Structures are given as structure tokens and as C-alpha cells.
Amino acid sequence: MRDILSLAWQSLRLHKLRGLLAIGGVAIGITAITGIISAETSWVKALDQTFSQLGITKIAVDPPAADAEAMRRQLTLGDVDEIRRACSLVKSAVPISWSRMTVRVGRSAQTLAVKAAGLGVEDALGLQMTAGRKLTADDVARRAPVCLMWDFVARTAFEGRNPLGQTVRIGDRAFTIVGLLNDNSGDHHYRQTMVGERAEVYIPITTAQRIPQLNGVHKIIVEADDQVGAAAQINALLRDRLRAKAGATFTTSAGSMTDAAIRSRRRVSLFVALAGFMALLVAGMGVANLLFVSVVERTREIGMRRAMGASSWAVAWQFLAESLVLCGAGAAVGVGAAVVLTRAFFAVAFPDVVGAQNSIISASVEKLATLQLPAAKPEIAWSAVAIAAIVAAITGVLAGLEPALAAASVQPAEAIRVSPVQRHRARSAMTVLQLALGVAAVMLLVSFYEGRARTELAALKEGAGANVVGLQFADAIPGYTLNNSLPAIHAGLSGIAKIAQKPEEFRRLLNELTLFSYLDPRMQFRASVRAGARALRVEQTEVPIICGTVPHALEVDVESARAAGMTPKRAGPMMAEGQFLSDSDLDEARRVCVLPYSAAQALFGSGKATGQTVVIGGRPFQVSGVLALWVDQVGASVWPDTRKHLPVLVPATTFAREIHSYRDMWDMLQSGWFQAWLRVKDTAQGPAALRQLEKALLARIRLPKHVVVYARGDLVSAVDVANRQRSAELRAGGGGFAALLIAIVGLVNMLLVSVQESVREVGLRRALGALRTQVGWQFVREGALMAAAGSVLGLVIAAATARWVGRLADVPIHTPALWAAASSLGAVVIGCIASLGPALHAARIEPVEALRYE
């Protein structure tokens, strides 16, 4: 065996370039397989760590977004009590709600995420107390004005003083800090789905019922050992209490999310590993082709060895050993490359995981295609090394078996007497198949990632607010994450208010945003509304909200909600009487308003409201119309960011001129809200629409150098996901191109052997008058023809494989025509270029030397 291996190594040293190319091909395939297994192992490990922080037995309870009646009712503390009482499998239920609010410490103020929660929130959310105490049952029962605060935030705000016992103001209410905490569970998709976004301040949820922004229950965190049984009990109970549709689902369990995530990632791994297997198969065929060439070139050597007593098995083992040496060396290089490039490979296989901290929410839990895990750290899986060694050995045996048998079948007398036996057809067929598999590897990867990108954008059409975009302004300081500070928010929103004060400029802005159905500043402010002696009150105590909006905004939102099934089945027209705001109302900043049905009833009873005069903030406004009762009832479902009741609506330009201009940032946050919303006409044009929006705003709003504008919403998330998928598509296509490159190397080897076998034919043609260019073009055409045949066959293999695996793994697949054309044309062009070397070699053959060549 030692002699056989020594002969194999000496033979490879004689053809160093061929050997190195073959080793490189095997190394690429082994690197792909090792990297995929390591990436999958690292990701699953990170997934387990993430859920262990949140608790695998948790269930999140939310109203279903597609059920208008359930969304209108919302969740209440009574629902929480009923879940504890009626659901026997529930161990605990913690209600939570949250909002971003102004928190003041002395004269300083900052916008923080404030979360209201019930008893046991610390355990439910995985919070770690660092000082003080937790929220107690007494705090919840007596609605105590106490709070817990992030340790770092509190100590920074109080500048070295002990925060415990200090007072902070949340909104217009004073709270005493009783505990400090840390939250190390991250702010990724899983956490947001299960327990909502991370907060810096926590208060009792009973106390929060007096704060409009935190009123009600946004989510219920349930603890249960039997998640399936507990979820069934909760869903049945809430369908009845919230009068939801049959089959409406209120629950999301940590276990179901884990299973969905693992299934999703295994689908990713399946496709990338399949492409890696194709690359390895191409490399194996390259090794086989190289050995076939070696058999042809060494036919006389084989005959001499057989004549000197070597057995056919000894000859076969020599070529099989050469194959094993090539594949073994390729495996060693591949594993080494995988160890060095594990992080880079992890980024290609799972492009949204490495170092991720911000959440990208996929369209559906069952379609989780892009998941980010702060704990994900790529590391080599040694089981992958063992698998790589086994795969390399199998590849070596399979690649070397047929050439070894061909060498063993050579007869000594014939080998010494005749020229080398030609196996041109077999080599050509194998080269075409190599090229086909190279093209197929590229197309398989890009088809998978393109299918994922299109799925993310297509899924947006399922919701009424899916194509709604909200504007955000933040401080962008190098080295820090974006900070939605109050000065940054005020700088941007007051800039939009200034534009709204100039109707002509505001109209030009609206006309410039051609990819949007509307831009709605949706400026809100609490102001008195009177009609004669009657004053409008919300829930008998609160001053009503006045909202500056634009024509058609509510109409577009209502129609979108209607199409998504989020409105009552028998819902009639949007207006009960009169008409909505018109373009002329906006352009002329008229003092007109639209009243919700409940407001019209409170001010005018059963009488007609249209044409009547109401006094808003001391100024007279004429009522142009009244919304239908059903619009008032389901307003929170049809209009993004609506409070419990629809506000009184006035033209945005009138609002900016007559009611509130947001000149003072403190007044803006205390008494008013400003949420600029837009709706994109076509979600497929989401990326272009966002670029158009940024360009139009930056041309009109002068922001400080450190302040940036950006958009948020499901559309932005989906566009970000789609962009990441297409970026991964580009990287994956580049990775698949490596398999095509290996096949091109095989094509060059095959053409060089073809030239060697055709020396006499070339010499005869030259002797009969053929030009050098004619001889050269013969081999260029041969290479181009094989490349074209391989491209067509590769597209067929890719389409069939992608469809089969897509159905098998339930994965959306889309083959981009551009990639299909680019890969086919690229293969042909590169094939022609690669053929130039052998063609020039053939063109330089002299007729006299060729005719006496043996």
C-alpha cells in the first residue's frame, strides 16, 4: 500500500496544475458542507439560549389582527382575571401594556419605553433585579405610583446618587423608584412576539389605567406546562368574550415559534447544502475526468507495468489511490478553510444573524425566513469535520473507480503497440454534465433566496396596514445606535408642520410622492369642542382629540381594511351624512371638520350635524360631514395609531395654522401627538417609494447635521428583509459560481486532451491548406457548444430540482429570468474564453511535426 501511495503522489507531482485544480474543487465542496453543518449547529444552539432566557413554557396572548371585532374590544384586566379563573392549565397570567413616554428627572427629560405590568412581571419577562424590590401585590391592588427602572438609565439620570426612593415624572404623574433591574434577553423578534418590546421603566398595570397611552392590556404573558392544552382553553374563552370569528387564534407559544424557526432554518440549510453537494459532485467529476486523461496519457506506461508482472488490481489501486489522495488533500484544505472562514460562511448561509441586535419581523410565524439572534456565535462543529472526511473518502472512491477499472482493463501487448485509446465521447459528456451542475448550483441558490424575498413582500398584502409607513426622526451619532430623542423628533415633525402651514408647498410635496396614496401628518392635539352650550367629552372626563389630516386618507384606509376583512360584513358607506374633507379644504386651509358619529350625537343629538358650527379651541369650524357609526366603532382597526376613539378631523393645513404648530417640544409631547403616516400604492414598489420619500423630505426640511429621517412599519421591515435576501442571493450566486468555475477548469482540461489526441488530424488539415485561425476556431466552437449544452441542461436540472425540493420542504421558489440569462450567457462566454488556450495551442502545431507524432 505504501508503494501504491508513493506512486500516486509522484504521478500527481508530474501534473501539478491539474492536481491543484482538482484539490481546489474538492476543497470548495467540503468547505460548503462543513460550513453548513457548523452554521446550523451554531444557530440552533443560539436559538436554545434565546428561548431559555424567555422561558420555553410561555404563551403570548394578543387579539388577532384580522378580526375587527376582537381588535375593537381589545384586552382588559377582566379578561386576565377570567383566564386565571376559567383556564385550569394556566399557571400564571401577567398583563402588560407599553408606550414611549417622556420621563423627567428634575429638569432633564428623555423619551423612554414605559411598560405597565401585573404581578410577577419580573419572572415573566426574565428581568434581573439589581437593587431594591419587585412590584408587589399591594402595589397592584392600591394602584401605587411606584416604578422599576433600568439600573444604567437610573444611575445615569441621577448622576451618582442612589436612585432608590427618588421621584420621576412619567407624563404628568409622579412615581417613586422602588427597584433597579437589568434586562439581558435582547430586543429580537422572539422577544417582541412573546413579551413585547424591551422597556426602561415598569409600573403597576392598575396604576397605568389612569394614563391614556397605557390604558387597557396590550398583551398577556401566560405560563403553562401544557402549551397546546392551555392555548386551546384560552382561545375558546376569548372567542366568546371578544365575540371573535370562529377559529380566531389569540395565542402564540414559545414552543411553536421554536419549531417554526428550526423548520425555516433547516429549509435554508437544505438548499445551501444541496448547492454545496452539487459543487462537490462537480469536483468529483473533475477528479474522474482528470484520471481518465491520466489513463489515456499513460496507456503505454500501464502496458509496460503489466508486461513486467504488475497485476490488473495493482494498476487499478494506483489510480484509485491517486483519487483518494486528491480528495483527501481537498478535504484537509476544505476543513481548514471552513475553520478559518466559519464566520463568513455563517453570514452567507444566515445573512441576518451574525451580530444582529435589531429585530426584523417576518410576515408570519410559520414563514420565519429571517431571524436574528443576539446570542448567535458561529463556531466549527467537529461532527462536520468527521462527515467531511467520510464524504471525501466516498467521493474519492466513486471518482476513481471507473478510471481505475479502465486502467486495469488495458492489455499489455495492445498498450505497447498502439496509440493511446481515445475516450472522447465519455469525457465530453462528463464535461457537459459538469457545466450543467455548475449552472444548476448557481440557479438553485438564487431561486431559493429570490422566492424568500418575494414571499416577504407578497405577504404584506394580507393586512390592512401592511403598506403603511410611519416617519421617525432620530439622532445619528457615530458609534451609537439611533436615538429617538425628543429634540430630534421635534426637529423633524415641526419641519413637517411648517410645510403644512404653507398649503401650496404642502400640495407640491403631496404631488411629488407619486408612489404613495397619501401622506398624512395626522397631527393631534387635545382641545375643547363646543356646540352652543354643549361641550364634547371623551369617556365623560377627557378633552377630545383634534387631528389634522388630508383628504382620502381615511377613505383609503377604510377600503384597505374592508378588503382585508377587518370591517363588519354589513358595513355601509363611510359617511353617515355630508362629505369628507376635500382637496380644496386642504389647499385653502378652510375651517371645516368631520365629526365621528359619537361626537355628532353628543353635540347635536338626533339632529343633522352637517352645516352646523362647532367651536374648536375658541375658533368656529363648520361641520362638513359625520362618519358612520361602524367607522367610529372599528376606528382602531382601520386607521393606524388610532386611540380608543376616532378624533375630530380637520384639514392638516388648517390644523397647523389655526390649532397647533408644535413650536415648543415640551408642549408637543405633553398635549399633542404627531405621527406622520404614508400608504404605498404598491408594496412591490416599496424600496423605490421609500427612496422617493426620503428625497422629497430632505429637500424641504432642514434637519440638524446629526438628525436623520427614516421610516418604520411592516413595509419597511419587509423591504429590509427582501433586501437582505437579495443581498444573500447575490452572495449565494457568487458562491455557486465557484462550482461553475470548477466545471470550466474541467472544460479546459478536456480541450487540452482533445488537442493532444487530434495532433495528426490538425497536422493533416494544416498540410491541406487550413489556416491557423480555422484550426483555433474549431476548438473554440467545441468549447462554446459544450458550454451552451451544459447551460441548457443546467437550467433544466435547476428548475426540476428546485421545484421538487420546494414542494418537499414547503419553500417558495422563484427563478429570476435575469439570473437564468446571466448564468447561461456567462457560462458560454467563459467557456469561449477558456477555450482560447487550447485553441492557440492547436493553432501553433506545425504540419510536419504533427504528421510524425505518436
Side-chain angles (χ1 to χ4, degrees):
M1 178 59 71
R2 182 177 179 180
D3 293 337
I4 291 176
L5 291 175
S6 176
L7 287 173
W9 178 250
Q10 291 177 10
S11 176
L12 292 176
R13 289 183 61 186
L14 293 176
H15 302 283
K16 294 179 181 179
L17 180 59
R18 292 183 190 176
L20 289 175
L21 291 175
I23 289 172
V26 175
I28 291 173
I30 292 296
T31 301
I33 292 176
T34 306
I36 280 296
I37 296 174
S38 299
E40 179 73 16
T41 303
S42 302
W43 189 85
V44 172
K45 183 179 179 180
L47 183 70
D48 292 339
Q49 292 176 355
T50 299
F51 271 99
S52 65
Q53 293 173 338
L54 297 178
I56 198 65
T57 58
K58 286 186 175 60
I59 300 174
V61 181
D62 307 88
D67 195 318
E69 184 64 22
M71 287 292 291
R72 185 186 69 81
R73 267 285 330 269
Q74 298 184 329
L75 295 170
T76 65
L77 293 178
D79 295 326
V80 180
D81 293 335
E82 191 63 19
I83 288 175
R84 292 169 179 159
R85 187 193 65 81
C87 301
S88 58
L89 297 176
V90 171
K91 297 169 63 177
S92 65
V94 179
I96 58 174
S97 63
W98 61 89
S99 179
R100 295 194 71 83
M101 300 184 67
T102 301
V103 179
R104 289 184 176 86
V105 178
R107 294 184 178 180
S108 64
Q110 55 183 319
T111 303
L112 300 177
V114 179
K115 182 168 288 186
L119 186 65
V121 62
E122 300 85 2
D123 295 330
L125 273 61
L127 306 177
Q128 300 173 349
M129 300 300 301
T130 60
R133 63 174 177 84
K134 300 180 180 180
L135 296 180
T136 64
D138 184 59
D139 293 333
V140 176
R142 64 185 180 87
R143 301 185 177 185
V146 296
C147 69
L148 308 178
M149 185 175 284
W150 260 20
D151 191 297
F152 175 77
V153 173
R155 296 189 187 280
T156 302
F158 287 97
E159 299 177 346
R161 292 176 291 162
N162 185 6
L164 294 178
Q166 301 288 346
T167 300
V168 297
R169 298 194 69 84
I170 302 175
D172 58 354
R173 296 175 60 86
F175 286 79
T176 302
I177 301 176
V178 297
L180 303 178
L181 54 86
N182 281 332
D183 185 352
N184 299 319
S185 58
D187 196 22
H188 42 80
H189 172 75
Y190 297 115
R191 180 191 173 85
Q192 290 193 350
T193 301
M194 295 305 299
V195 298
E197 66 177 283
R198 190 163 54 180
E200 290 91 1
V201 181
Y202 294 82
I203 65 175
I205 196 163
T206 50
T207 310
Q209 301 310 300
R210 301 171 181 173
I211 302 175
Q213 295 92 326
L214 296 171
N215 196 1
V217 175
H218 297 170
K219 188 186 290 286
I220 305 172
I221 310 301
V222 172
E223 186 84 15
D225 292 329
D226 183 358
Q227 293 189 10
V228 176
Q233 290 180 343
I234 294 170
N235 288 323
L237 174 67
L238 293 181
R239 286 190 202 112
D240 180 59
R241 287 181 61 86
L242 274 64
R243 297 189 292 276
K245 298 177 182 178
T249 302
F250 294 80
T251 57
T252 302
S253 67
S256 66
M257 289 190 67
T258 306
D259 294 339
I262 291 176
R263 285 197 304 271
S264 175
R265 280 308 180 189
R266 283 179 178 169
R267 292 166 184 167
V268 180
S269 299
L270 175 64
F271 271 82
V272 182
L274 188 58
F277 173 75
M278 284 187 174
L280 185 60
L281 187 60
V282 170
M285 295 176 70
V287 172
N289 231 352
L290 184 147
L291 292 177
F292 271 128
V293 172
S294 182
V295 171
V296 171
E297 292 178 338
R298 295 159 61 188
T299 300
R300 292 193 173 186
E301 175 194 335
I302 294 171
M304 290 292 293
R305 290 191 61 198
R306 290 294 309 280
M308 295 177 67
S311 66
S312 58
W313 282 110
V315 173
W317 271 110
Q318 177 183 345
F319 285 90
L320 195 59
E322 289 182 20
S323 177
L324 289 172
V325 168
L326 283 172
C327 293
V333 174
V335 170
V339 172
V340 174
L341 303 174
T342 298
R343 186 178 180 85
F345 203 98
F346 199 67
V348 172
F350 307 116
D352 309 303
V353 183
V354 179
Q357 293 294 336
N358 300 319
S359 65
I360 296 298
I361 303 176
S362 188
S364 166
V365 172
E366 290 301 324
K367 298 176 183 177
L368 288 174
T370 303
L371 305 173
Q372 299 185 326
L373 302 175
K377 295 180 180 179
E379 55 186 34
I380 197 71
W382 295 109
S383 59
V385 176
I387 293 174
I390 295 173
V391 170
I394 294 174
T395 302
V397 171
L398 295 179
L401 186 60
E402 178 62 23
L405 293 177
S409 65
V410 174
Q411 297 298 320
E414 294 294 324
I416 296 173
R417 183 171 59 87
V418 303
S419 298
V421 180
Q422 297 185 7
R423 303 177 61 89
H424 185 68
R425 290 183 180 178
R427 291 198 308 274
S428 297
M430 191 172 294
T431 302
V432 170
L433 187 56
Q434 272 187 288
L435 291 165
L437 290 176
V439 172
V442 175
M443 293 307 303
L444 190 65
L445 286 172
V446 300
S447 297
F448 172 68
Y449 283 109
E450 180 66 20
R452 292 175 66 188
R454 289 175 177 261
T455 299
E456 293 293 339
L457 292 176
L460 285 176
K461 299 179 181 179
E462 299 174 1
N467 57 346
V468 174
V469 173
L471 291 182
Q472 288 286 330
F473 298 88
D475 291 314
I477 302 174
Y480 296 88
T481 58
L482 291 177
N483 177 28
N484 297 112
S485 67
L486 185 56
I489 295 171
H490 181 261
L493 297 183
S494 61
I496 295 178
K498 290 177 182 177
I499 298 175
Q501 289 175 341
K502 304 173 183 177
E504 293 182 358
E505 180 65 21
F506 191 66
R507 172 57 62 184
R508 281 195 291 269
L509 174 61
L510 297 181
N511 292 338
E512 189 173 326
L513 298 175
T514 56
L515 298 179
F516 293 88
S517 299
Y518 62 73
L519 184 154
D520 191 355
R522 212 157 292 180
M523 300 176 284
Q524 302 179 53
F525 190 76
R526 290 192 180 274
S528 62
V529 178
R530 304 184 67 89
R534 295 184 178 182
L536 181 61
R537 290 287 185 270
V538 179
E539 295 183 349
Q540 299 180 347
T541 58
E542 294 184 3
V543 177
I545 298 173
I546 315 301
C547 179
T549 185
V550 296
H552 315 302
L554 182 58
E555 180 182 354
V556 171
D557 288 337
V558 166
E559 290 305 315
S560 181
R562 197 193 300 270
M566 298 177 65
T567 60
K569 293 182 179 179
R570 298 182 180 180
M574 187 181 78
M575 302 300 296
E577 59 176 90
Q579 63 180 11
F580 198 69
L581 303 175
S582 66
D583 288 330
S584 58
D585 293 334
L586 183 75
D587 294 338
E588 298 175 18
R590 293 175 181 172
R591 289 184 180 178
V592 295
C593 67
V594 173
L595 297 178
Y597 187 89
S598 57
Q601 291 289 308
L603 293 174
F604 301 103
S606 58
K608 187 176 181 180
T610 303
Q612 300 290 338
T613 298
V614 296
V615 179
I616 301 176
R619 296 176 176 84
F621 281 73
Q622 185 179 45
V623 179
S624 65
V626 178
L627 296 172
L629 175 61
W630 71 268
V631 178
D632 195 10
Q633 291 176 335
V634 300
S637 300
V638 302
W639 219 24
D641 201 47
T642 297
R643 311 285 170 172
K644 285 188 173 181
H645 302 277
L646 279 174
V648 176
L649 305 176
V650 301
T653 50
T654 309
F655 185 99
R657 282 186 167 190
E658 305 279 353
I659 297 178
H660 199 52
S661 62
Y662 300 99
R663 293 181 179 177
D664 182 83
M665 72 176 78
W666 308 114
D667 190 38
M668 177 185 74
L669 211 63
Q670 277 186 307
S671 306
W673 299 275
F674 196 162
Q675 294 281 343
W677 294 95
L678 304 95
R679 187 182 285 273
V680 180
K681 292 179 180 178
D682 184 2
T683 54
Q685 293 182 309
L690 295 178
R691 289 193 296 270
Q692 184 187 75
L693 171 63
E694 183 179 11
K695 180 180 178 182
L697 286 178
L698 293 180
R700 290 173 170 82
I701 301 177
R702 292 185 178 180
L703 297 174
K705 291 183 179 180
H706 63 279
V707 175
V708 296
V709 57
Y710 66 96
R712 66 180 178 88
D714 289 346
L715 174 66
V716 179
S717 298
V719 168
D720 192 12
V721 169
N723 289 339
R724 290 171 185 266
Q725 299 309 322
R726 291 201 165 105
S727 176
E729 177 183 317
L730 188 61
R731 295 196 297 268
F737 183 76
L740 184 58
L741 188 60
I742 298 170
I744 294 296
V745 171
L747 174 64
V748 174
N749 275 337
M750 200 285 301
L751 289 175
L752 285 173
V753 174
S754 180
V755 169
Q756 185 177 358
E757 293 177 345
S758 305
V759 169
R760 291 199 174 205
E761 176 190 341
V762 170
L764 184 60
R765 290 189 62 198
R766 289 294 311 283
L768 294 174
L771 300 176
R772 292 179 184 272
T773 54
Q774 292 175 325
V775 172
W777 275 112
Q778 171 188 344
F779 291 94
V780 172
R781 286 195 298 270
E782 183 179 349
L785 183 63
M786 284 192 288
S791 298
V792 173
L793 182 59
L795 292 177
V796 173
I797 292 174
T801 305
R803 179 170 296 185
W804 175 69
V805 178
R807 290 179 178 177
L808 183 67
D810 190 23
V811 174
I813 296 296
H814 181 82
T815 302
L818 181 62
W819 271 99
S823 60
S824 300
L825 184 62
V828 174
V829 171
I830 296 174
C832 291
I833 295 174
S835 303
L836 290 177
L840 292 174
H841 181 67
R844 286 195 295 265
I845 295 177
E846 296 294 336
V848 176
E849 294 295 327
L851 291 175
R852 66 182 185 181
Y853 175 80
E854 292 188 4

